[in-house]
Amino acid sequence: ALLNAQATPTAETAEQQLVIAVERIWDRAEHSAFTDLIAFRGRYYCTFREGSGHIPGLNGLIRVLESDDAQQWRSVALLDEPHVDLRDPKLSITPDQRLCINLGGSYYHGKTRLKMESRVSFSDPEGRNFSPPQPIPMPPGIHTDMDWLWRITWHDGLAWAAVQQVPTGQPRTLQLVRSRDAQTWEAVHTMQVPHPSETTLRFLHDGRMLALIRRSGPSPSVGWLGLSKPPFTDWQYRELNLPLGGPNLVQLPNGRWLAATRGAGEKMRLGLLDVDKAQFTPLLDLPSGGDCSYAGLVVEPDQNRVLVSYYSSHEAKSAIYLATLRLNALEGW
């Protein structure tokens, strides 16, 4: 179903200027959620979790879709693991040009989570076949029974990630780790963030690392933005001007940062992030509601567009959507 951006009758809005179309691309499961999106070898890949609800219920599976044109999608993989709830897959490209999917693996008794680990799967060089999910062991000095390596970012041949840790009865912690193969990891630094949660890492042109950090403390718990120079053991943190949910960001060709999060009122919200001022400026909410967000972002300058995958439950059940935005309009906003 193609959803046209809804304009207000007063003036030309951000939706009119920015949004080309929003399409529902997958709704075959009872609950589809937590997306990511990537371009690889001239094709597009979208991954997400399928389950019976946000929390088991039935343990989640990881679906991988492929498309030649970002319009017609086909399933190329369904990852599962007996007795493990697989969640929140994230896509990246390894230095040897394979797709890497990192994901969470949780063990539940009813709705009570007993244990949390991380998993990784790799594609073949063509992106057609994916290996079974394998556990990612954490370094002995930082290991707990509740570790979740949330998103991998590759830079100069190394994989970097922030591991959120929620050991029972202890404060949350956030560990910066690195790896050469996304399987064996080395602890780098304990990030001094109160109540940390999902974290996306990116690199600036000058080599600094940027961390966009969701926090899960007393409400309202605004997100944090962290910056660090190599070797990434000395961080400066600043509060953002809003809470975060499923945070992601990508740099546009003009150097500005497009950020995605769950916005107020349970909406899939896009905005511009000013790194120097730690300020998020909302641009628009995509068609969404209820259980939603967790966006994947792909910038395509040659096609003057930005693709945004996300999930939302505003049309009866939680489904997967793809928005197409005008890049030149975003850069001129």
Side-chain angles (χ1 to χ4, degrees):
L2 189 64
L3 308 173
N4 295 322
Q6 298 299 311
T8 64
T10 55
E12 188 176 32
T13 63
E15 287 87 347
Q16 288 176 291
Q17 295 182 44
L18 300 178
V19 179
I20 298 171
V22 180
E23 185 178 4
R24 187 171 63 247
I25 63 172
W26 195 263
D27 60 2
R28 301 182 188 180
E30 187 175 349
H31 187 273
S32 301
F34 316 120
T35 81
D36 204 15
L37 184 71
I38 204 165
F40 178 71
R41 296 196 181 281
R43 298 186 297 272
Y44 305 91
Y45 291 82
C46 181
T47 187
F48 49 91
R49 175 185 180 270
E50 293 186 345
S52 58
H54 194 105
I55 298 293
L58 299 178
N59 285 326
L61 313 176
I62 302 303
R63 177 78 64 181
V64 184
L65 304 183
E66 180 191 71
S67 174
D68 298 319
D69 57 7
Q71 295 181 3
Q72 301 297 320
W73 295 86
R74 55 191 172 270
S75 177
V76 293
L78 185 63
L79 307 179
D80 69 330
E81 185 175 346
H83 313 300
V84 178
D85 178 50
L86 301 179
R87 310 182 65 83
D88 216 350
K90 299 288 180 285
L91 287 161
S92 60
I93 300 173
T94 65
D96 63 354
Q97 296 300 297
R98 295 176 296 155
L99 285 174
C100 171
I101 305 178
N102 73 276
L103 53 143
S106 296
Y107 298 79
Y108 280 91
H109 178 70
K111 293 186 177 181
T112 301
R113 185 163 56 194
L114 305 177
K115 185 179 180 181
M116 186 167 63
E117 299 174 331
S118 300
R119 298 287 191 272
V120 67
S121 170
F122 299 95
S123 77
D124 61 21
E126 295 302 315
R128 301 296 188 185
N129 300 288
F130 291 81
S131 64
Q134 297 296 317
I136 297 177
M138 287 293 102
I142 65 168
H143 169 78
T144 77
D145 286 334
M146 291 286 185
D147 296 339
W148 191 341
L149 186 153
W150 196 68
R151 186 194 297 275
I152 291 174
T153 297
W154 294 87
H155 182 70
D156 289 344
L158 290 176
W160 294 87
V163 179
Q164 57 170 317
Q165 301 179 302
V166 290
T168 304
Q170 300 179 44
R172 287 175 170 262
T173 54
L174 193 65
Q175 303 287 349
L176 179 65
V177 296
R178 67 186 173 196
S179 173
R180 294 194 177 276
D181 58 9
Q183 299 175 86
T184 301
W185 292 82
E186 172 188 2
V188 175
H189 179 65
T190 300
M191 303 176 76
Q192 301 300 317
V193 178
H195 312 292
S197 184
E198 306 153 348
T199 300
T200 291
L201 304 177
R202 295 287 183 248
F203 286 85
L204 304 181
H205 293 308
D206 61 9
R208 287 180 297 166
M209 185 186 292
L210 182 156
L212 188 62
I213 307 166
R214 177 183 180 180
R215 294 171 59 243
S216 297
S219 181
S221 187
V222 296
W224 273 24
L225 187 148
L227 285 171
S228 180
K229 297 178 181 179
F232 311 120
T233 55
D234 182 17
W235 285 79
Q236 289 76 48
Y237 300 103
R238 286 170 295 173
E239 286 190 344
L240 291 172
N241 55 320
L242 79 169
L244 298 175
N248 197 7
L249 72 165
V250 66
Q251 194 165 29
L252 302 176
N254 67 354
R256 303 178 81 183
W257 289 91
L258 176 67
T261 184
R262 180 188 292 122
E266 297 182 314
K267 295 292 185 179
M268 176 64 250
R269 180 157 297 174
L270 298 173
L272 294 174
L273 179 67
D274 188 318
V275 173
D276 295 325
K277 297 179 180 179
Q279 187 79 14
F280 180 96
T281 301
L283 291 178
L284 77 159
D285 293 339
L286 294 171
S288 55
D291 190 6
C292 69
S293 77
Y294 288 73
L297 301 167
V298 169
V299 179
E300 295 189 297
D302 59 333
Q303 298 195 54
N304 187 34
R305 69 182 185 181
V306 176
L307 302 176
V308 183
S309 67
Y310 67 101
Y311 81 98
S312 178
S313 54
H314 66 291
E315 293 187 314
K317 68 176 182 178
S318 181
I320 306 301
Y321 295 82
L322 185 77
T324 305
L325 312 179
R326 293 182 180 88
L327 175 58
N328 60 354
L330 279 171
E331 292 193 307
W333 196 260

